[in-house]
Amino acid sequence: MKIRYRVELNSRAPVRCETILAARAFFFALLLCLGSVQGWAQQNDQQQLRGLDEQVQEIKSDVLSIAAELNQLEEKLLYPSGTQVAIFVALAKGDQMRLDAVRLQIDGQLVAHYIYSFKELEALRKGGVQRIYVGNVATGDHKLEVVVDGKLEGGADLSRTESFTFRKEVKPKLLGLTLAAPASGNTPIALGEW
C-alpha cells in the first residue's frame, strides 16, 4: 500500500522544514502501525488454522468410533447369537507349512475362501489366529468340509480335504481349525471348540 502525500507551497504560507519532518514522522509511524496490524492478523490466522485442524482431528476420531459401533451393531443384527457360528484358523505350533488358501463349506454351501499373503502367513506362524467365517446356521447337526492348499517345507504341494460334523445349539458356536503339515506328526487338519 503506497501512501502519497503532497505538500503545496503557497506564497502566503511558507512551509518550514519542521513541518515536512513532522509529516514524514507521522507517515512513518502510520506505516509501522499498519505493519504491526498485518503481523497480528497473520498470527490470528495461524491460530485459527490450528484450531480448525484440532477440530478436524476430533471429528475424525468421533467418526471412527461411530463406525466401529455401527460395525458391532451390524454384526449383532446380521448374526444373532442364537444362530451364530464363528470359525477360526491357526497353524500348529512350530509348523513351517506355507499355507496358500483355505476353503470352507457348511452343508455343501461354500461359506469362505481365503488366500493368504506372506504377512498373514507370518502372523499365523507366530501364533496368530484368523477369524475366517462368521455366519448363521440353524440348530442341529451340520457338516463342515475344509480344503487346505499350500506347500510343505521341502517344496512339495499340499492339498488336503477333511470333513467334520458339529452340533449347533441355541448359543453361539466357536470352532477352531488347527492346520499342520502331515510330515510333522500332527493331524493335518484338526477341529476343536473354542
Side-chain angles (χ1 to χ4, degrees), residues 57-145:
Q57 293 302 324
E58 287 177 20
I59 291 170
K60 193 185 236 184
S61 175
D62 290 345
V63 166
L64 290 174
S65 67
I66 290 171
E69 288 177 25
L70 284 175
N71 284 339
Q72 288 176 347
L73 288 173
E74 180 184 26
E75 189 170 314
K76 285 180 181 179
L77 287 173
L78 291 176
Y79 312 115
S81 63
T83 61
Q84 185 179 43
V85 171
I87 301 174
F88 298 86
V89 172
L91 285 180
K93 210 171 207 179
D95 197 287
Q96 292 301 310
M97 170 182 65
R98 188 186 85 195
L99 182 62
D100 290 335
V102 173
R103 289 186 302 278
L104 301 178
Q105 289 185 359
I106 296 179
D107 298 328
Q109 288 281 138
L110 180 67
V111 294
H113 181 239
Y114 196 83
I115 298 172
Y116 292 89
S117 70
F118 178 75
K119 287 184 179 183
E120 292 167 331
L121 180 58
E122 284 300 309
L124 288 173
R125 283 183 180 158
K126 291 179 181 177
V129 176
Q130 178 210 8
R131 182 175 73 175
I132 192 169
Y133 173 72
V134 175
N136 297 329
V137 296
T139 57
D141 292 331
H142 297 279
K143 181 180 176 184
L144 172 66
E145 187 175 298

Side-chain angles (χ1 to χ4, degrees), residues 141-179:
D141 292 331
H142 297 279
K143 181 180 176 184
L144 172 66
E145 187 175 298
V146 181
V147 179
V148 175
D149 294 319
K151 290 207 180 278
L152 297 173
E153 196 171 357
D157 287 338
L158 170 70
S159 184
R160 291 281 186 179
T161 303
E162 294 283 338
S163 294
F164 303 96
T165 58
F166 67 92
R167 180 158 185 76
K168 173 68 177 86
E169 303 293 335
V170 179
K171 60 184 180 179
K173 184 79 162 181
L174 302 176
L175 299 172
L177 292 169
T178 305
L179 310 176

